[in-house]
Amino acid sequence: MLRRSALAATALVVTGALLLTACSGSPEPSASSDAAGTPDPDASVSIRLVLEPSNLDIRETAGAALDQILIDNVYQGLVARTPEQEIVPALASDYDVSPDGLTYTFTLREGVSFHDGQALTPQDVIWSLSQVKDNASYRDSARLAKVASITADGQKITITLSQPDSSFLWNLTGRAGLVLKEGDTIDRKTKTNGTGPFTLASWKQGDSITFERNDAYWGEKAKVAEVVFDYIPDTQAALNGALAHELDVLTGFDATLKDQVEADGDFSLELGASTDKGTLAMNATTGALADKRVRQAIRQAIDHDAIVEALGAGETLYGPIPELDPGYEDLSDVAPYDPDAAKALLKEAGVSDLSLTLTIYNGYPTTIPQILVSDLAEVGIELTVNSVEFPAWINDVYVNKDYELSFVLHTEARDFENWANPAYYFTYDNPEVQRLYTESLAATDEDQAADLLAQAARIVSEDMAADWLYNGASVLAVSDTVSGMPTVNVNERLDLAELTKSKE
């Protein structure tokens, strides 16, 4: 939603399914769904999603809604990432990184074609990456800023950096690394032309997007003939659709509805790990929130365990890096739940009768605001909830930074960069954090890079820059006829290559 597509990635993700592991009676997390039966290669699978993209131009349009369905399925890069965040070859059959971290050599696969039948060439790769690097309006353009040159010798593509960048390969697994056809004239707002296992069949705006299997795909063909993404923001409506057998999978689901969706035995609730971070941003530029003691008081007034319990699944989180990302450290010692300590901090800061406003996208459930209002009232803080449409949130909070508190579910993996960017809507500015982040990028050793991130993350938490209310789970309801449905990080990516549906 917010650098990279962070912004949209954040608030746009979910109405009822941002939750994760910790409740008794919850199913065990899994990487993908499993089902019995003989797969039907002619099957159509209907998947409920929450937020529909405004258009399909993945180069210039922010929003996790695009990454979620287009990357891996329609568009691909030289490398890809698994749901568990491992970097793997994609359009490149293999790759090599020089010891100094400056030279990346990829072997481009032969026999790959775009959906319109044109062959993939090394020049398409050079053009695609160069276009992103040279056009600041393209999402993630800055992620290729250290690229000094891109050359090809036959199927060998060499990318040289001006200085080491420990995030470079990771960046290539996202929008910055997608390979498009040079000279393509399609309208990317409504059409696509990628190399992936699915093609875009139709888009009924306000309703659904349909993919069809790409029978000319260079790799193993998709195992279903069709996937229909039904955009249904209301969780109860999605549940009704599942129970009526109109939907096969519900993403963005509510773990507290487990008994209802499993009642007839045709669906099961599936949980997977995620990098979703329920973040309470605090604008520290003015007013009482400029005092670190007030921000700490707010953090210590909030019962994270109660939030996880209320959501029906989840894990507590006390810092900006979730467990799936490099640099994670348990930071629960920094600002543990302690209402008495919160009251003492407010008294020490000379603050009484404090009133604050929480600005929140109205697509989110009311669970979080209700808990925040109650918890803060216990320590003498009156919280007013300002529930707004998403465009208003973008304008007021993200762009103009006109807010006191704001809640967003940040879904992107490895997005610590936002805490090293003073211009970001968090308004957080610490030169030491910026230095550590820069050093982590320059590190050529993965462990060293992760350690530098961990150091920076602890400083961010100790500065009381925000509160991280929970690490959300991927929560899905999956039909017993469906197998191979991703369950990890599904708010960010949905690689459907292994999806199957059995004959009924």
Side-chain angles (χ1 to χ4, degrees):
M1 283 193 97
L2 310 47
R3 240 277 300 128
R4 304 208 276 163
S5 110
L7 209 243
T10 164
L12 36 76
V13 241
V14 128
T15 69
L18 333 165
L19 345 160
L20 190 93
T21 189
C23 277
S24 61
S26 294
E28 290 297 317
S30 59
S32 64
S33 63
D34 196 12
T38 302
D40 179 5
D42 298 321
S44 175
V45 178
S46 179
I47 300 175
R48 176 266 183 145
L49 297 181
V50 176
L51 189 71
E52 182 181 13
S54 59
N55 68 72
L56 303 179
D57 188 350
I58 199 162
R59 283 194 157 182
E60 299 194 60
T61 305
L66 286 178
D67 303 65
Q68 188 180 38
I69 64 171
L70 293 183
I71 299 180
D72 299 322
N73 298 314
V74 173
Y75 293 117
Q76 299 173 306
L78 293 169
V79 288
R81 71 180 80 152
T82 68
E84 295 80 9
Q85 315 303 294
E86 178 187 1
I87 297 173
V88 294
L91 294 178
S93 58
D94 58 68
Y95 61 89
D96 178 72
V97 184
S98 64
D100 62 5
L102 294 177
T103 305
Y104 293 72
T105 305
F106 301 87
T107 303
L108 188 65
R109 296 183 190 273
E110 300 197 39
V112 177
S113 61
F114 288 91
H115 295 161
D116 65 359
Q118 296 185 79
L120 168 69
T121 69
Q123 179 56 32
D124 292 322
V125 177
I126 295 173
W127 175 82
S128 295
L129 300 183
S130 298
Q131 284 284 298
V132 174
K133 172 180 164 54
D134 296 339
N135 286 275
S137 65
Y138 287 174
R139 308 304 303 179
D140 289 5
S141 173
R143 295 187 173 279
L144 301 185
K146 295 175 184 175
V147 172
S149 66
I150 312 171
T151 60
D153 182 5
Q155 294 298 105
K156 294 287 186 181
I157 296 172
T158 300
I159 303 176
T160 304
L161 305 186
S162 58
Q163 56 184 294
D165 181 354
S166 64
S167 69
F168 181 66
L169 267 182
W170 175 265
N171 293 338
L172 290 184
T173 69
R175 294 193 187 201
L178 296 180
V179 177
L180 280 61
K181 184 63 185 177
E182 183 177 16
D184 209 338
T185 59
I186 64 166
D187 179 0
R188 291 199 181 93
K189 293 184 183 297
T190 58
K191 305 293 182 182
T192 64
N193 184 29
T195 57
F198 290 94
T199 64
L200 173 68
S202 65
W203 180 17
K204 299 177 183 177
Q205 296 191 31
D207 182 76
S208 63
I209 291 176
T210 300
F211 286 175
E212 289 181 350
R213 178 172 53 228
N214 174 17
D215 288 323
Y217 183 53
W218 58 266
E220 186 176 351
K221 308 296 185 293
K223 297 176 173 60
V224 294
E226 180 183 78
V227 176
V228 181
F229 300 106
D230 288 298
Y231 291 96
I232 307 174
D234 183 74
T235 298
Q236 187 61 50
L239 174 62
N240 294 341
L243 297 179
H245 300 282
E246 296 170 351
L247 298 168
D248 299 303
V249 178
L250 308 181
T251 70
F253 199 55
D254 186 338
T256 64
L257 299 177
K258 179 180 186 293
D259 291 343
Q260 294 182 49
V261 79
E262 293 184 344
D264 62 6
D266 293 338
F267 279 78
S268 61
L269 193 75
E270 303 278 353
L271 296 185
S274 88
T275 56
D276 295 356
K277 301 163 288 294
T279 306
L280 180 67
M282 305 186 198
N283 189 338
T285 57
T286 59
L289 292 172
D291 191 320
K292 176 181 172 180
R293 294 168 296 184
V294 174
R295 301 195 301 274
Q296 182 175 346
I298 290 172
R299 293 188 68 187
Q300 296 202 255
I302 299 171
D303 188 346
H304 290 205
D305 289 321
I307 289 175
V308 169
E309 183 177 357
L311 292 174
E315 292 181 335
T316 55
L317 185 67
Y318 296 89
I321 298 179
E323 194 165 358
L324 279 180
D325 283 352
Y328 169 76
E329 178 187 0
D330 180 358
L331 296 174
S332 57
D333 62 309
V334 174
Y337 176 57
D338 188 339
D340 290 336
K343 292 176 183 177
L345 283 163
L346 291 172
K347 183 177 181 180
E348 180 183 327
V351 172
S352 61
D353 299 322
L354 178 60
S355 295
L356 295 171
T357 298
L358 172 73
T359 304
I360 184 170
Y361 163 49
N362 63 8
Y364 286 129
T366 59
T367 306
I368 298 299
Q370 288 173 347
I371 291 174
L372 294 178
V373 168
S374 176
D375 282 355
L376 294 184
E378 288 294 317
V379 301
I381 298 175
E382 180 184 9
L383 184 65
T384 299
V385 178
N386 179 27
S387 183
V388 299
E389 297 289 340
F390 191 59
W393 186 93
I394 291 284
N395 182 71
D396 296 344
V397 178
Y398 184 64
V399 175
N400 294 324
K401 305 177 184 65
D402 182 14
Y403 74 99
E404 291 179 321
L405 301 176
S406 185
F407 172 82
V408 165
L409 186 75
H410 285 261
T411 64
E412 279 197 323
R414 304 195 188 190
D415 60 354
F416 182 81
E417 63 190 4
N418 295 326
W419 297 102
N421 177 11
Y424 197 65
Y425 88 95
F426 291 153
T427 72
Y428 178 68
D429 186 358
N430 186 315
E432 178 67 5
V433 168
Q434 294 155 27
R435 180 187 67 79
L436 288 167
Y437 178 66
T438 299
E439 289 184 5
S440 77
L441 293 180
T444 56
D445 178 80
E446 290 184 1
D447 291 338
Q448 181 187 11
D451 179 66
L452 289 163
L453 285 175
Q455 292 179 47
R458 176 168 283 276
I459 293 173
V460 172
S461 187
E462 291 176 344
D463 280 347
M464 310 299 160
D467 197 19
W468 298 270
L469 305 182
Y470 62 96
N471 179 191
S474 296
V475 183
L476 306 88
V478 184
S479 167
D480 61 4
T481 64
V482 170
S483 183
M485 178 68 193
T487 59
V488 175
N489 257 357
V490 298
N491 285 337
E492 186 180 40
R493 295 280 186 87
L494 275 179
D495 184 347
L496 300 176
E498 301 301 318
L499 184 69
T500 68
K501 184 178 180 180
S502 61
K503 297 180 180 179
E504 299 181 8

